[in-house]
Amino acid sequence: MSSDTRLSLILMSDDGARRTLRVRRGRFYAVMVCLLCFPLLAAGLGWWAVRLWRDNGALAAEQVRLERALLEAEATAERLENLEILLKEQNVDGRRLLALRLVGHSEATASVQAEESADEQKEMEQALKQPGEGPGHAEFPAVTSDLVKVLNVRARSLGNGRLRVSLDLRNTERQKVLSGVVEVTLLTADGQQHAVSFEPDDVGDFRISRFKRAVMVSRLPRSVGKLENSQVIIEVKKTGGELLFRNIFAVER
C-alpha cells in the first residue's frame, strides 16, 4: 500500500451542492487525535489553574500570619528594650523591687510593695509613653478617661500601602471587665480623612480585665497616596459608643 494514500471527504449541503476534499490519511488521523485530546487537555489545565489558585491563597494567608507574628515580635522587643532601659537607671525609685520580682525573689514585704507600687506603675507608664504623643487637634480635642489608660502608641508606615498601629490598653480596674473597640482615622498631609480598616476586621475589638497589647495592620487603598507628614487619630470607645480616649499621633516611616 502506498504511503501517500489519501482519503476523500465529501461535504454535502441540503440543496445538493457537494464538495470533495482529499487529505492524506496521516493528517486526517492527526487532526482526529487532536480533537479527541482537546477536552482532556482543557480539563487538565483547569485542574492545574484551580490548584495554583488554592496554593496562592494558602501562601497569602501564611504571609499575613507571618507578618502578624513579626509585628508582635517587634512589639515584644520594644517593650523589653524599654524595660532594659528602666533597669539600667540607677536613680529610679522602685528599681530594686522590680528587679526582685523579675528574678523571682519573694522576700519583698507587703509594706514595701504598698509603698512603691504606685510609684512603680507611674514610672513604667512614663517609660513606655510615646514621646511624640501630641496634645490633640483643634477638630479632634484630646479625650482621656479614668476607665482606661492608652500607652505606648505607635503608628508606622510599612510601605506598599500598609499601616501598622500598636498600643497598650490598661484597665484602671474601676470595673472588672472593660470591652470596646479601637478606631483609627488617617489624616493625610492634604487634610483628607480616611477611615482605616484592619485585617481581620475585629482586631480592634477588646475585652480586658487588666492589660492588652494591640497590634493592627491595614492595607490602605491606592487613593490614599504617600503617608509623608500624615497623622492618625486614635479613638477608644466603650461598648455602646461612649468615647474613652482620643488623641492624634504622627505616622513614622
Side-chain angles (χ1 to χ4, degrees), residues 26-81:
R27 293 181 180 178
F28 175 76
Y29 289 156
V31 172
M32 294 303 296
V33 169
C34 291
L35 292 177
L36 293 176
C37 292
F38 181 77
L40 298 177
L41 180 61
L45 291 176
W47 173 81
W48 189 37
V50 171
R51 183 176 179 181
L52 290 178
W53 176 74
R54 291 180 178 177
D55 292 344
N56 182 65
L59 290 175
E62 182 67 12
Q63 180 183 2
V64 172
R65 187 188 67 82
L66 292 176
E67 288 178 352
R68 293 190 62 187
L70 176 61
L71 294 177
E72 292 177 358
E74 290 179 351
T76 302
E78 291 173 3
R79 292 174 59 81
L80 291 176
E81 182 180 357

Side-chain angles (χ1 to χ4, degrees), residues 107-115:
E107 292 82 4
T109 61
S111 60
V112 175
Q113 294 178 0
E115 180 181 357

Side-chain angles (χ1 to χ4, degrees), residues 196-226:
V196 179
S197 59
F198 298 99
E199 300 176 357
D201 296 337
D202 59 350
V203 70
D205 298 345
F206 64 88
R207 181 179 176 84
I208 55 175
S209 57
R210 288 192 177 183
F211 174 84
K212 178 182 179 180
R213 174 69 174 176
V215 179
M216 303 171 290
V217 179
S218 172
R219 292 186 179 273
L220 302 174
R222 294 184 178 179
S223 58
V224 175
K226 297 183 178 180

Side-chain angles (χ1 to χ4, degrees), residues 5 30-31 33 74-75 86 91 99 123 130 134 138 158 162 174 179-180 190 202 221:
T5 302
V31 172
V33 169
E74 290 179 351
L86 180 63
N91 298 324
E123 293 154 4
Q130 183 69 17
L158 301 180
R162 294 183 302 167
R174 290 185 175 271
S179 60
D190 57 0
D202 59 350

Side-chain angles (χ1 to χ4, degrees), residues 13-245:
S13 61
D14 293 339
D15 58 1
R18 185 179 66 175
R19 184 177 181 182
T20 302
L21 299 176
R22 291 180 58 81
V23 296
R24 292 182 180 182
R25 179 177 296 181
R27 293 181 180 178
F28 175 76
Y29 289 156
V31 172
M32 294 303 296
V33 169
C34 291
L35 292 177
L36 293 176
C37 292
F38 181 77
L40 298 177
L41 180 61
L45 291 176
W47 173 81
W48 189 37
V50 171
R51 183 176 179 181
L52 290 178
W53 176 74
R54 291 180 178 177
D55 292 344
N56 182 65
L59 290 175
E62 182 67 12
Q63 180 183 2
V64 172
R65 187 188 67 82
L66 292 176
E67 288 178 352
R68 293 190 62 187
L70 176 61
L71 294 177
E72 292 177 358
E74 290 179 351
T76 302
E78 291 173 3
R79 292 174 59 81
L80 291 176
E81 182 180 357
N82 293 330
L83 184 59
E84 181 183 7
I85 295 174
L86 180 63
L87 288 174
K88 288 181 179 179
E89 293 291 337
Q90 298 295 330
N91 298 324
V92 176
D93 296 335
R95 175 180 176 275
R96 177 176 174 273
L97 178 59
L98 180 59
L100 289 176
R101 288 182 177 178
L102 290 176
V103 299
H105 290 285
S106 59
E107 292 82 4
T109 61
S111 60
V112 175
Q113 294 178 0
E115 180 181 357
E116 296 187 358
S117 59
D119 294 335
E120 178 189 354
Q121 181 178 359
K122 182 179 180 180
E123 293 154 4
M124 288 290 292
E125 292 178 356
Q126 183 66 25
L128 293 175
K129 191 173 183 181
Q130 183 69 17
E133 188 171 324
H137 190 272
E139 297 180 2
F140 295 89
V143 176
T144 57
S145 172
D146 57 357
L147 294 179
V148 65
K149 293 292 184 182
V150 181
L151 307 170
N152 201 28
V153 180
R154 292 192 65 183
R156 187 171 64 178
S157 173
L158 301 180
N160 297 327
R162 294 183 302 167
L163 176 67
R164 173 185 180 266
V165 177
S166 61
L167 52 88
D168 295 337
L169 295 173
R170 188 183 301 276
N171 187 355
T172 58
E173 299 184 358
R174 290 185 175 271
Q175 54 185 13
K176 293 183 178 180
V177 178
L178 180 65
S179 60
V181 63
V182 178
E183 296 181 354
V184 179
T185 302
L186 177 65
L187 185 63
T188 55
D190 57 0
Q192 298 293 325
Q193 299 178 19
H194 306 270
V196 179
S197 59
F198 298 99
E199 300 176 357
D201 296 337
D202 59 350
V203 70
D205 298 345
F206 64 88
R207 181 179 176 84
I208 55 175
S209 57
R210 288 192 177 183
F211 174 84
K212 178 182 179 180
R213 174 69 174 176
V215 179
M216 303 171 290
V217 179
S218 172
R219 292 186 179 273
L220 302 174
R222 294 184 178 179
S223 58
V224 175
K226 297 183 178 180
L227 298 182
E228 296 180 358
N229 301 323
S230 297
Q231 296 174 304
V232 290
I233 300 169
I234 308 293
E235 293 182 327
V236 179
K237 295 182 179 180
K238 186 179 179 182
T239 301
E242 179 184 354
L243 183 62
L244 303 179
F245 174 87

